[in-house]
Amino acid sequence: MIFIGGRERVCFIDDEEDSILRLMPVFRETGDLVRIEADGEMYFVHRRDSQVKRNGRKVSLAAIEEAVLSYNGVETSAAVFDVETQQIYLFIILKNISEMSPKLKMELDQHLHLKLPSNAIPNTIQQISSLPLTKHGKINSKRLLKLVQNRQSKPESVRTYIEQEWKRLLNVQKIESHDNFISCGGDSIRIIHFAEDLSALTEHPLPQLVDLLLNDTFAVVSAYIDEITTANETVPIKKDLKMDISSDVGDRTRKIVERDDKLIFSKRGGEETIDLPGDFALKLGWRFDLRKCVDASALMVGSTDNSKVRVFIGSHSNEFAAIDVETGEAVWVVRLGGRIESSACVSLCGTLVIVGCYDNFIYCLFGHDGEINWKFQTGSQVKCSPIIDPHSGHVLVGSHDHYLYCIDVKFGTCIWKISPTHGSIFASPSVSKQPHCIYIGTLDGKLCSLNPSNGLVFWEKNLQKPIFASPVVTNDKVFAANVNGDLYCFSHIGKQIWLFSTIGSIFSSPIVIHKKFLMFGCHDSKLYCVLVETGHVHWILQMNSPIYASPFSLFNCSKERSGHVGVIACITGEIKLVSVINGSEIASYTLSGEIFSSPVILKDKLVIGCRDNFVYCFDFGSQSTT
């Protein structure tokens, strides 16, 4: 339990007299029970005084939770009480056990009977994959109780139940078998909550559900859950590794794309150095209408000997545009075959722009006029942002068909493709220089290290929950985050170094700043800055809403106020610049629409997309001129 007090001062409670000062130091019980880890970090467990009245007798829910936690194998617990039925429901998370067997359930029941009085024995013990939390990080008892009530009223038909939840979440009146959750108005955030609720309600882990909700139909989702819940096996057998290496590529794939040393570019999660005035502010320069939501992040490309910089970005309208960063005028606009959430990348030679599309294709366009050089068809939607392997110049991009593709950037020929897991690939891959490895995260929660020559797996780690954030690499570390709010640090040989946990889902891809700090946003409405070496908190900044976007690193080289600056955007439209040293706010600007796009900076321009259909460009101007 946490006690608060000190030698210098004391808070008087009710009618306490001054005589209590003779007992200094005075410590007060907070009633908060915590778990202290080996590194000294404290994690809230529950309140000691969580008492309820059951059939006229007082029962401590905290005592029930403590009793079950004393059983070896139980990691976390939460007890909830239904006042109307006078029933107590106990939820538990087990250590390294995918499903609670009848034998284990009986042993837990016997253990509780030895530890608790008869009136405190829970009516049911239910395994759950994760405990829902409030925005303040406390266990959400109301949501747990709702899960119980939903399960009790759940219709016999799984299909009927899923249909009810689908309609409720998306506020639709009718569902067809061919409907897709995203096309009905859903998004990845609601999918995560839907998957967690269904897993808890069916009492089965559903490892492929997030992937299916993103890509497949209502009929496929229903059939999958029906199959899992009626089968003895709870986890499908892992499929054989699928790999295809092109045998007819020929000599041309061995040609390395020539590098343009005069090329400068900036994309999501990058870093830029500029000289900011001492009293600077974000000043809106222009906005460009892309007709529908702009969730993609910008690619900005220019040259060291030319002041002209172009912004490449697409939207849900299927339009992909090149925009002059100075004027905000379109250089060209092309219409692709589907909506665009993928952020583009540029070839090493600086002349080709590559982007993924919802029509299952990867497009390669000439940067100067938008003409299509080639397009490559995958087996499903391409929401993943492609990257260029700096060693070979090849395009690396994932698809929702579960494959990672390595494509020749000049000719659009597949050099190899591999499907190492059951999961789709949403997050952009990352490449380490030394050792030369490719890292991917998948929607079935796997982090994989791959051989760049042929795509074969060096090692694989199970992060348990879907990975939407792109992995980030340094000389000796790999960082990856999942939607359970866990940020992992591994060595390049796959050894876990540390784990940092938040209370919200992480969609924001982390960035490394000054080789010392790791910054990322979270759905608990906080911006985190942790130490690269240990994972310990450097500072935490409370934002006004959840964060989906990835931060950007800016180094202010001005004499007046030099230092590293983090740039972040939250869903409600707020853009903030904060000091990396202490997390203090330096400047801010709020747009009228939601922001899922990440800020990108090149030279003295900041570009970001918005769900009000516009791309915005800001200057770093003096406050006196705004």
Side-chain angles (χ1 to χ4, degrees):
M1 182 187 295
I2 294 180
F3 292 79
I4 295 178
R7 297 181 181 277
E8 303 297 327
R9 55 188 298 178
V10 64
C11 294
F12 290 93
I13 299 176
D14 298 330
D15 298 326
E16 284 181 336
E17 299 179 354
D18 293 350
S19 58
I20 194 174
L21 296 175
R22 293 197 296 268
L23 303 176
M24 294 289 281
V26 175
F27 288 86
R28 308 289 193 185
E29 294 184 3
T30 64
D32 289 331
L33 297 176
V34 298
R35 183 179 73 251
I36 303 176
E37 299 293 343
D39 59 4
E41 295 284 342
M42 291 189 296
Y43 295 88
F44 175 83
V45 177
H46 51 64
R47 291 282 301 172
R48 188 190 65 175
D49 55 357
S50 52
Q51 289 191 336
V52 297
K53 211 164 203 180
R54 185 189 196 191
N55 299 322
R57 299 172 65 185
K58 287 185 178 180
V59 174
S60 170
L61 298 180
I64 298 173
E65 294 166 358
E66 287 182 60
V68 76
L69 285 174
S70 66
Y71 182 88
N72 187 27
V74 177
E75 183 177 317
T76 312
S77 68
V80 294
F81 179 62
D82 189 334
V83 178
E84 292 185 7
T85 63
Q86 295 288 292
Q87 303 244 329
I88 294 176
Y89 305 99
L90 180 60
F91 292 86
I92 60 171
I93 296 177
L94 297 172
K95 297 177 183 176
N96 305 316
I97 300 175
S98 60
E99 184 178 23
M100 183 166 53
S101 66
K103 180 182 177 183
L104 177 56
K105 202 165 189 176
M106 182 179 67
E107 290 177 356
L108 282 171
D109 189 62
Q110 291 173 348
H111 178 77
L112 292 176
H113 274 83
L114 291 173
K115 295 281 185 178
L116 299 169
S118 59
N119 65 309
I121 300 299
N123 295 88
T124 63
I125 304 174
Q126 302 174 32
Q127 185 182 4
I128 193 169
S129 58
S130 61
L131 293 171
L133 302 174
T134 67
K135 65 180 181 179
H136 302 296
K138 303 293 180 70
I139 292 173
N140 194 331
S141 299
K142 290 182 179 179
R143 191 171 173 197
L144 284 175
L145 195 56
K146 184 180 178 183
L147 291 178
V148 175
Q149 293 165 345
N150 285 345
R151 183 181 290 135
Q152 291 172 343
S153 61
K154 181 174 66 174
E156 293 183 5
S157 167
V158 174
R159 184 186 180 93
T160 302
Y161 172 70
I162 298 171
E163 184 175 355
Q164 290 174 354
E165 284 296 287
W166 190 301
K167 289 178 179 178
R168 183 184 65 82
L169 285 169
L170 301 180
N171 194 26
V172 295
Q173 300 301 317
K174 186 179 179 182
I175 300 174
E176 302 291 344
S177 295
H178 61 268
D179 281 348
N180 170 263
F181 193 84
I182 294 292
S183 66
C184 288
D187 53 43
S188 54
I189 301 169
R190 275 182 278 190
I191 282 176
I192 296 301
H193 291 312
F194 192 16
E196 288 178 350
D197 287 350
L198 284 172
S199 180
L201 290 166
T202 59
E203 301 184 49
H204 284 77
L206 303 168
Q208 296 182 48
L209 182 56
V210 169
D211 214 340
L212 295 177
L213 285 167
L214 280 165
N215 299 298
D216 281 295
T217 63
F218 170 78
V220 173
V221 171
S222 300
Y224 167 72
I225 296 177
D226 193 32
E227 178 185 358
I228 294 294
T229 53
T230 56
N232 291 327
E233 302 177 298
T234 59
V235 181
I237 298 173
K238 183 175 179 178
K239 60 186 176 182
D240 292 333
L241 185 72
K242 294 191 293 184
M243 185 179 70
D244 181 26
I245 300 180
S246 177
S247 57
D248 60 353
V249 175
D251 293 338
R252 62 186 182 183
T253 62
R254 292 197 288 268
K255 295 180 181 179
I256 303 300
V257 178
E258 295 180 1
R259 298 171 186 267
D260 184 354
D261 293 333
K262 295 180 180 180
L263 173 72
I264 56 172
F265 70 93
S266 185
K267 60 183 297 185
R268 184 189 65 181
E271 181 170 282
E272 180 69 356
T273 299
I274 63 175
D275 188 347
L276 298 173
D279 62 342
F280 82 93
L282 285 176
K283 181 181 179 182
L284 180 61
W286 52 260
R287 66 176 191 169
F288 184 88
D289 188 0
L290 270 175
R291 304 181 189 280
K292 284 190 178 179
C293 297
V294 186
D295 286 344
S297 302
L299 166 69
M300 300 173 70
V301 181
S303 58
T304 56
D305 57 355
N306 191 330
S307 60
K308 288 187 177 180
V309 173
R310 289 184 179 179
V311 176
F312 298 93
I313 193 167
S315 80
H316 290 197
S317 68
N318 303 8
E319 292 185 352
F320 186 73
I323 309 167
D324 186 298
V325 80
E326 293 295 334
T327 65
E329 298 293 327
V331 179
W332 50 258
V333 178
V334 296
R335 188 173 182 83
L336 303 184
R339 83 182 196 186
I340 304 160
E341 290 184 6
S342 167
S343 302
C345 68
V346 62
S347 62
L348 296 180
C349 61
T351 59
L352 302 173
V353 176
I354 302 94
V355 68
C357 185
Y358 261 59
D359 66 353
N360 304 356
F361 281 92
I362 301 158
Y363 288 83
C364 176
L365 305 97
F366 288 102
H368 67 282
D369 62 4
E371 182 182 347
I372 296 176
N373 179 34
W374 52 258
K375 64 178 185 177
F376 180 92
Q377 185 172 12
T378 73
S380 188
Q381 299 167 339
V382 183
K383 305 176 187 179
C384 175
S385 299
I387 66 165
I388 298 294
D389 185 335
H391 294 261
S392 65
H394 298 325
V395 179
L396 297 171
V397 60
S399 168
H400 277 255
D401 64 5
H402 301 184
Y403 278 96
L404 178 75
Y405 294 87
C406 179
I407 304 171
D408 181 273
V409 72
K410 284 188 175 181
F411 306 106
T413 311
C414 182
I415 298 169
W416 55 257
K417 66 177 184 178
I418 189 168
S419 174
T421 78
H422 284 288
S424 295
I425 303 171
F426 178 96
S428 182
S430 296
V431 178
S432 61
K433 294 181 180 179
Q434 189 63 37
H436 185 202
C437 298
I438 300 169
Y439 294 96
I440 61 167
T442 65
L443 292 188
D444 63 347
K446 305 299 193 305
L447 173 68
C448 300
S449 173
L450 307 178
N451 185 333
S453 301
N454 52 27
L456 289 177
V457 177
F458 286 137
W459 53 259
E460 175 187 303
K461 297 294 178 182
N462 188 358
L463 274 54
Q464 306 296 329
K465 295 292 183 177
I467 301 172
F468 281 84
S470 299
V472 61
V473 298
T474 63
N475 290 337
D476 58 349
K477 294 179 178 65
V478 184
F479 306 94
N482 64 17
V483 298
N484 198 47
D486 301 318
L487 175 65
Y488 291 82
C489 174
F490 295 97
S491 70
H492 283 293
I493 61 173
K495 180 181 178 182
Q496 185 174 321
I497 300 172
W498 51 257
L499 168 64
F500 177 82
S501 295
T502 70
I503 60 171
S505 298
I506 301 176
F507 294 92
S508 170
S509 300
I511 61 168
V512 176
I513 302 176
H514 198 45
K515 298 181 181 180
K516 185 178 179 181
F517 305 109
L518 198 67
M519 183 183 292
F520 63 95
C522 183
H523 263 251
D524 61 7
S525 303
K526 294 183 176 68
L527 177 64
Y528 289 86
C529 185
V530 302
L531 301 180
V532 164
E533 290 301 317
T534 63
H536 292 162
V537 172
H538 182 49
W539 50 257
I540 301 173
L541 177 64
Q542 180 69 51
M543 300 285 281
N544 291 332
S545 65
I547 301 169
Y548 191 96
S550 301
F552 195 94
S553 174
L554 177 67
F555 180 71
N556 182 10
C557 61
S558 70
K559 294 181 180 179
E560 296 174 298
R561 187 163 53 179
S562 65
H564 284 88
V565 176
V567 186
I568 192 65
C570 59
I571 287 179
T572 52
E574 184 181 28
I575 305 169
K576 276 186 183 290
L577 275 71
V578 299
S579 168
V580 174
I581 300 301
N582 56 24
S584 60
E585 181 180 328
I586 298 173
S588 66
Y589 194 101
T590 301
L591 297 177
S592 59
E594 292 184 330
I595 296 179
F596 284 72
S597 171
S598 299
V600 176
I601 300 171
L602 186 62
K603 295 187 175 180
D604 58 348
K605 306 290 185 183
L606 184 155
V607 176
I608 193 167
C610 184
R611 284 199 162 181
D612 64 359
N613 306 347
F614 286 92
V615 182
Y616 289 85
C617 179
F618 295 90
D619 298 306
F620 294 96
S622 172
Q623 290 184 8
S624 58
T625 62
T626 60

